[in-house]
Amino acid sequence: VSVSIATKVKMATAGLDPEMKKTFDELQNKMVETRSQMQFTEMQMRQRAAQVKHRSLTLTEIVTYPDDTRMYAGIGRMFLLETKADTTTRLEKDVTDFNQQIEDMKKNKEYLERQYKDSEGNLRELLRHR
């Protein structure tokens, strides 16, 4: 016998006055929004990690080429001729920028996790004192 989440919420909020129910709904919405933001941040972190891996693999391959090799950077719908040094510099900068973005996203995710736990604790406290 499985009870749906909606049924549990109705049972939990059945004895609440309108003001407490409003607070309950706000906390619940905040938790849902925070969880969504956490999932989005995780997805962005995975994408950045894949980009770092791609740039790093490209760098390791480029190092084996002679210095006078012509290299092209894709910019929109065109290709721009670059020197090997310019290409290497650009790729290294991308890797460091992406790694910094990943670190920033980790900090943001930790903040969102704390916010989620706080909301969850507040929700439990509200239900305990109804």
Side-chain angles (χ1 to χ4, degrees):
V1 177
S2 175
V3 179
S4 71
I5 294 174
T7 304
K8 288 181 182 179
V9 169
K10 285 180 185 175
M11 289 170 47
T13 60
L16 297 178
D17 63 41
E19 185 177 316
M20 287 184 81
K21 181 164 178 18
K22 180 182 177 191
T23 305
F24 179 87
D25 289 341
E26 288 173 0
L27 284 171
Q28 192 176 31
N29 288 338
K30 184 177 180 181
M31 286 177 64
V32 168
E33 183 179 318
T34 303
R35 180 178 291 154
S36 174
Q37 289 175 344
M38 285 181 355
Q39 290 172 342
F40 181 72
T41 301
E42 289 171 355
M43 179 195 65
Q44 285 182 317
M45 287 170 56
R46 284 191 303 272
Q47 287 176 339
R48 289 293 183 261
Q51 289 173 324
V52 166
K53 184 177 181 179
H54 183 264
R55 299 296 197 285
S56 297
L57 290 172
T58 304
L59 268 171
T60 57
E61 185 67 25
I62 285 177
V63 171
T64 62
Y65 295 164
D67 288 340
D68 62 344
T69 303
R70 290 179 164 210
M71 303 206 175
Y72 295 90
I75 300 175
R77 292 173 28 181
M78 68 177 204
F79 294 96
L80 182 66
L81 180 63
E82 287 184 330
T83 63
K84 179 182 171 184
D86 290 342
T87 302
T88 304
T89 303
R90 180 176 47 83
L91 291 172
E92 288 170 346
K93 183 182 179 310
D94 285 351
V95 168
T96 56
D97 289 349
F98 291 154
N99 282 328
Q100 181 60 47
Q101 289 175 11
I102 289 171
E103 289 303 313
D104 293 344
M105 287 180 212
K106 283 181 184 177
K107 290 176 186 173
N108 186 36
K109 184 181 173 199
E110 290 171 2
Y111 168 75
L112 290 171
E113 287 171 346
R114 283 193 310 272
Q115 192 176 26
Y116 182 82
K117 287 181 182 180
D118 289 345
S119 294
E120 188 176 45
N122 291 340
L123 194 60
R124 289 180 195 274
E125 188 70 25
L126 179 70
L127 291 175
R128 192 175 312 135
H129 292 317
R130 62 182 178 140

